[in-house]
Amino acid sequence: MSEREHRDGLLTQLRRPPGGRDGRTMLVALFTDRTGSGVWAAACVLYFTEVGHLTAGRVGLLLGLASVAGIAGSPLAGRLAASLGVRPVLIGCHLLRVVALAAVLFCSSFAPLLLAVAASALGDRAARAMELLFATEVAGERRSVYRALSRTAMNAGYAAGAGLAAAGLAVGTPAAYRALLIADVVSFLIAAALVAGLREPRPGGRVVAGSERPAPAAQAGPRPTPWRDGGYLRFVALDCALTIDDAILNVGLPLWLIHSTRAPHALVPAFLAINTVLVVASQLRVSARVRTPRQAVRAVPLYGFAVLGCCAAAALAGGTGAVLGSLLLLVAAVLVTLAELLRSVVSWELSVALAPDRARPEYLGVAGMAQSTEKAAGPLLLTGAVLATGPLGWLALGAATCAAAYAQRRFSATRLTATAPAPTPVARATAAG
């Protein structure tokens, strides 16, 4: 991030994002999409319970199986984007979500409802991968700035959606729940229309402000595939462990507070509030410190330490009174949000830097599986292992995350060194001088 970008405020950056008009339009699409997603995330459990008449167990099964189906979305979208381009695939993802969620309105039994929700999850994870790829291509070397702006737009959208959902949930009728679902469908239609107005980003480096780097030259030989690249698959496997912050914030801390501490239950919404405020206020600052792959490598262990600190605070909260327990849980929420801020920049920077430029869609599609896998497995890990074993479970989770972070650092540094282009004679002469 340049010195000028350091001085510019968030609103100025949002008005003049990397990628120009296309970058700005995509930020609007992200905000619209996440507003609808925030509405549905807040209302879906009640919809399935009150309108779909499912038991709590069936709701959990429905959402769990849908999350598993979503894992296939990222690599599938990456493969299609390599042939069709990012823009048409992203439009298709939005339209798939429109059809799938609209079908939910007409499902009266579990099996068709599962198919509709699974298709929606598939489209959702595929869309996330395409958004990542679009930002990587349109922002070029300023992708860390764009990532910060996109996360700000997305979190603002989630907050707006939660506010809209609160109004519908206050009414509490089946018609109100259906209206909230329809609002989500409409948000996807608007997002698809916005994406339709974009230009297809040129792979490997549209020239952006402050950069004169040309697009890479075409290379001969067969196109690389991530499925035969054991090194990249190892990176993705480690990245699955380094996305655990989401499950900790949304599942682990709330359930731990309710069942194992004396903190008041009214504290649970504060976790999300802290997370939203800190992400909006701090994402640009964090991104300013992680601008290159080498900086990302050095920052990976900080994620592990942040998660370890969060887990230690949560473990201590289990054996204290209401006041101290509340303070420790709030500290845990701050630390896990710091971990999220680091992960969002570091994971993205490394997933791009470790992938070959000419096969970037396929590689980033596979990289997107890390977050999809965490969404499916993370809640099960928290509820089935960590919470079941109490404070020791929390400490073991923190220690394991630190170990994974150091393994990721060592592996990523080695791969970056191995894949770095050899210096030109001019560069060697400059370095010698």
Side-chain angles (χ1 to χ4, degrees), residues 24-65:
R24 187 164 49 250
T25 301
M26 179 57 84
L27 291 177
V28 176
L30 290 173
F31 174 82
T32 304
D33 177 334
R34 299 314 192 271
T35 298
S37 297
V39 169
W40 182 234
C44 66
V45 171
L46 284 173
Y47 179 93
F48 294 137
T49 302
E50 301 299 325
V51 179
H53 305 294
L54 299 181
T55 64
R58 287 227 153 183
V59 170
L61 180 63
L62 174 73
L63 296 178
L65 292 176

Side-chain angles (χ1 to χ4, degrees), residues 253-349:
L253 291 182
L255 290 179
W256 182 248
L257 181 150
I258 292 170
H259 296 294
S260 302
T261 76
R262 298 178 183 177
H265 294 186
L267 193 67
V268 169
F271 298 153
L272 182 58
I274 288 172
N275 178 264
T276 301
V277 171
L278 287 180
V279 168
V280 171
S282 305
Q283 188 69 73
L284 272 173
R285 293 184 177 89
V286 173
S287 298
R289 289 162 174 77
V290 185
R291 304 185 306 274
T292 68
R294 293 293 178 186
Q295 289 173 332
V297 167
R298 289 194 292 270
V300 172
L302 297 178
Y303 177 91
F305 288 130
V307 171
L308 177 60
C310 165
C311 292
L316 291 173
T320 61
V323 174
L324 182 55
S326 297
L327 291 175
L328 286 168
L329 289 171
L330 291 175
V331 168
V334 171
L335 289 172
V336 79
T337 299
L338 174 59
E340 178 188 339
L341 290 167
L342 289 165
R343 183 256 304 164
S344 67
V345 179
V346 169
S347 178
W348 189 19
E349 184 65 36

Side-chain angles (χ1 to χ4, degrees), residues 13-409:
Q13 296 264 24
L14 287 171
R15 286 194 296 267
R16 296 198 303 268
R21 179 186 69 84
D22 287 342
R24 187 164 49 250
T25 301
M26 179 57 84
L27 291 177
V28 176
L30 290 173
F31 174 82
T32 304
D33 177 334
R34 299 314 192 271
T35 298
S37 297
V39 169
W40 182 234
C44 66
V45 171
L46 284 173
Y47 179 93
F48 294 137
T49 302
E50 301 299 325
V51 179
H53 305 294
L54 299 181
T55 64
R58 287 227 153 183
V59 170
L61 180 63
L62 174 73
L63 296 178
L65 292 176
S67 296
V68 173
I71 295 174
S74 294
L76 177 60
R79 186 67 188 88
L80 290 173
S83 302
L84 305 176
V86 179
R87 177 176 161 272
V89 174
L90 182 53
I91 294 172
C93 292
H94 288 318
L95 295 180
L96 172 61
R97 297 156 85 194
V98 167
V99 173
L101 276 182
V104 169
L105 290 167
F106 304 99
C107 294
S108 57
S109 60
F110 183 80
L113 189 60
L114 174 60
L115 290 176
V117 177
S120 175
L122 185 76
D124 180 78
R125 301 317 308 171
R128 301 295 186 264
M130 291 301 94
E131 291 162 358
L132 171 66
L133 182 57
F134 176 89
T136 299
E137 304 295 5
V138 80
E141 292 175 348
R142 296 176 65 200
R143 57 180 175 260
S144 64
V145 179
Y146 196 87
R147 176 59 170 169
L149 296 176
S150 65
R151 280 184 52 76
T152 300
M154 289 187 289
N155 275 273
Y158 278 128
L164 292 173
L169 296 178
V171 176
T173 64
Y177 298 140
R178 291 189 179 95
L180 293 175
L181 188 152
I182 292 171
D184 193 18
V185 171
V186 171
S187 76
F188 296 149
L189 282 172
I190 296 173
L194 289 168
V195 174
L198 300 175
R199 293 166 291 183
E200 179 69 23
R202 287 178 289 181
R206 174 198 299 271
V207 175
V208 295
S211 172
E212 297 299 328
R213 186 184 67 175
Q219 300 177 11
R223 190 179 180 91
T225 171
W227 299 110
R228 295 180 181 176
D229 189 338
Y232 199 81
L233 293 177
R234 189 181 306 120
F235 162 77
V236 175
L238 287 169
D239 217 34
C240 291
L242 302 180
T243 56
I244 195 62
D245 55 275
D246 183 72
I248 291 175
L249 179 70
N250 295 304
V251 178
L253 291 182
L255 290 179
W256 182 248
L257 181 150
I258 292 170
H259 296 294
S260 302
T261 76
R262 298 178 183 177
H265 294 186
L267 193 67
V268 169
F271 298 153
L272 182 58
I274 288 172
N275 178 264
T276 301
V277 171
L278 287 180
V279 168
V280 171
S282 305
Q283 188 69 73
L284 272 173
R285 293 184 177 89
V286 173
S287 298
R289 289 162 174 77
V290 185
R291 304 185 306 274
T292 68
R294 293 293 178 186
Q295 289 173 332
V297 167
R298 289 194 292 270
V300 172
L302 297 178
Y303 177 91
F305 288 130
V307 171
L308 177 60
C310 165
C311 292
L316 291 173
T320 61
V323 174
L324 182 55
S326 297
L327 291 175
L328 286 168
L329 289 171
L330 291 175
V331 168
V334 171
L335 289 172
V336 79
T337 299
L338 174 59
E340 178 188 339
L341 290 167
L342 289 165
R343 183 256 304 164
S344 67
V345 179
V346 169
S347 178
W348 189 19
E349 184 65 36
L350 290 178
S351 66
V352 174
L354 300 179
D357 286 346
R358 61 191 178 123
R360 188 173 283 168
E362 298 98 314
Y363 272 73
L364 292 188
V366 171
M369 293 177 62
Q371 193 168 11
S372 302
T373 302
E374 186 277 334
K375 284 189 174 295
L380 295 176
L381 173 66
L382 265 294
T383 56
V386 176
L387 300 184
T389 51
L392 287 179
W394 279 108
L395 295 176
L397 176 64
T401 303
C402 271
Y406 271 99
Q408 185 76 287
R409 177 185 179 178

